Every structure is written in structure tokens, then in C-alpha cells.
Amino acid sequence: MALIFIALSASIAGCKEEKVPLGVYCDENVAETVKFSSALTYGIDISPPVVKGVRAFHEVDLSQVPIRSGSALGLLANDGNGVFYSQPCKGELCGFDSGLRIIAKCRSEPQCKIVGSYRNRTFYPLYELDDQGGHICREGGQ
């Protein structure tokens, strides 16, 4: 009985959210970045999303993102207040259900949108333009 409790405790602890720093994946340009990020997140059979008007954020804003530990792939959303939300995906790719779950977390907040995905502590942008006409991948001169 004690062995079962220890195993369950370890399993639950592996699903706890922790704040982690995320690096940013950027390709040659924003279109290529979104295309690659979309293929990684949704697969190659799904067209890349057209997401615009997200709240502007920068790489430094990704220094403490709450992510469930042990999740290989997940979605990231943010809102007009700059709060980030994460949702692990089931399986190799993210599906419609993962998108619904993450939007449910912030739907009462203005500008609640899926902005990207994460895998192995890297952020993969899925948006084209923020509300200031910029993009996180343009910070480094892109």
C-alpha cells in the first residue's frame, strides 16, 4: 500500500506547474517561423494559423512561464494583461481539445489568444503580428 502511495505521489508531482524560462525559436522570417511552429504543433496537414493582434511581449517576458513539468508539447496563450497560460497536449501533436482547454483558462480576459507552443523549454510562435505591429522574432533584427 505504501508503495502505491509513493508511486501516485511521484506521478502527481510530475504534473505540477513550475515557472521556467523559455528560449524562442525564430526562423529566417516570421512567415517561416509560424510555418515551422505550426508543423511542430499541429502537423504538416494543417495550415498555419493566422493570428494577429496578440498583446505585445518580448523574450524577457518568457523568463517565468508556468508550464506543467513533464509535458513534452503544449500550447501557450496570453491575454491583454500579459498573463501567460499553458496547456499540455496529449500525444505527439496538439489537437482541437487542447486549444479549447487553454482558451477556457483565459476567455474572460481581453485579447485571450493562443500565441504559440512550447517543447523542450523552447517557445514556438504561432502568431503573425502583435497589437503593436511587431513580433518576438523581430527583436534580434529580423
Side-chain angles (χ1 to χ4, degrees):
M1 186 71 144
L3 211 49
I4 293 171
F5 179 74
I6 292 170
L8 283 174
S9 296
S11 173
I12 291 169
C15 294
K16 188 176 114 180
E17 271 192 3
E18 60 181 289
K19 293 188 177 188
V20 298
L22 296 179
V24 178
Y25 170 81
C26 293
D27 210 319
E28 297 175 22
N29 56 51
V30 172
E32 289 300 313
T33 298
V34 172
K35 183 179 174 182
F36 180 85
S37 297
S38 177
L40 177 83
T41 307
Y42 302 117
I44 59 172
D45 296 330
I46 305 291
S47 297
V50 179
V51 181
K52 297 180 180 179
V54 304
R55 182 183 193 276
F57 62 96
H58 306 280
E59 193 166 353
V60 69
D61 298 322
L62 296 172
S63 65
Q64 293 290 309
V65 178
I67 292 178
R68 193 173 299 169
S69 62
S71 58
L73 176 66
L75 293 173
L76 226 85
N78 82 340
D79 64 26
N81 299 312
V83 177
F84 283 95
Y85 305 84
S86 66
Q87 177 63 47
C89 298
K90 296 178 181 175
E92 296 287 322
L93 300 172
C94 295
F96 187 69
D97 59 330
S98 298
L100 289 176
R101 276 200 223 60
I102 195 166
I103 292 300
K105 292 179 179 182
C106 64
R107 71 174 164 229
S108 62
E109 300 298 327
Q111 288 180 287
C112 167
K113 295 185 182 186
I114 296 172
V115 295
S117 63
Y118 61 88
R119 174 177 258 163
N120 299 327
R121 295 187 179 221
T122 301
F123 171 68
Y124 294 89
L126 290 168
Y127 70 98
E128 292 181 355
L129 289 172
D130 62 34
D131 60 359
Q132 296 177 6
H135 192 276
I136 194 167
C137 288
R138 291 194 185 131
E139 288 181 355
Q142 286 202 15

